[in-house]
Amino acid sequence: DVRKLLNDENPYVRARAVFLLANLGPKGRAEAEQALQAADANLRIAALRALKPTAPDVVALVRPLAADPSPAVRREVAIALRDVPFSACQDVLTQLIAGYDGADRYYLTALGIAADGKQDALFAALKPSLPTDPTKWDRKTANLIWELHPAGATELLKMRAM
């Protein structure tokens, strides 16, 4: 009966159906997981939010969405990685950074949330691909490094500011 609500014309009813399904045992969870591929980005976000609290492996849940065409979905993926160790999510986080367009302030903030507690490890992974002279960083790169504020970038950020 709840599955029928996924086709309701009201988007709020569809979202509530996904949350219900995620909590209705294995069959319901499987239905909620299918919503991760819905055409509607908001329904994909609702499915991710509904499934994340009980996901045995958050990285496995979000990995397919790291290349989602919707920046809103990718922002949600970034936020879901906040408490995941860097070693477990490095590939997903790197993919999310590659999807940053340099203009979406909310996306940049979500990347900062994803990097919480792993800023230095992330910066160390990104550093080899960056120009060694921070004055040569494009705005996108500078904003990203500033948002991450890793201790290892202090001198580089200082050089850029000077």
Side-chain angles (χ1 to χ4, degrees), residues 5 27 30 45 51-52 60 62 66-67 71 86-87 95 100 112 117 119 121 138 145 151 159 161:
L5 297 174
K27 286 183 184 178
I45 291 169
L51 292 164
K52 182 187 167 238
V62 301
F86 182 67
S87 60
Q95 188 173 10
Y100 171 53
Q119 300 92 327
D138 60 11
I145 302 305
M159 285 172 57

Side-chain angles (χ1 to χ4, degrees), residues 9-24:
E9 49 185 75
N10 185 327
Y12 298 105
V13 171
R14 291 193 303 268
R16 288 185 180 118
V18 168
F19 271 88
L20 280 171
L21 287 166
N23 292 289
L24 288 177

Side-chain angles (χ1 to χ4, degrees), residues 56-129:
D57 182 359
V58 172
V59 178
L61 177 68
V62 301
R63 183 173 275 117
L65 298 171
D68 195 277
S70 168
V73 172
R74 295 192 314 270
R75 288 191 304 255
E76 203 63 37
V77 168
I79 291 167
L81 295 175
R82 180 174 184 252
D83 297 321
V84 176
F86 182 67
S87 60
C89 69
Q90 179 178 354
D91 62 323
V92 177
L93 197 46
T94 303
Q95 188 173 10
L96 291 170
I97 288 170
Y100 171 53
D101 66 4
D104 186 337
R105 186 70 194 131
Y106 296 105
Y107 197 107
L108 182 61
T109 299
L111 290 173
I113 291 168
D116 187 37
K118 44 192 169 270
Q119 300 92 327
D120 290 316
L122 179 57
F123 179 66
L126 294 174
K127 192 174 180 181
S129 66

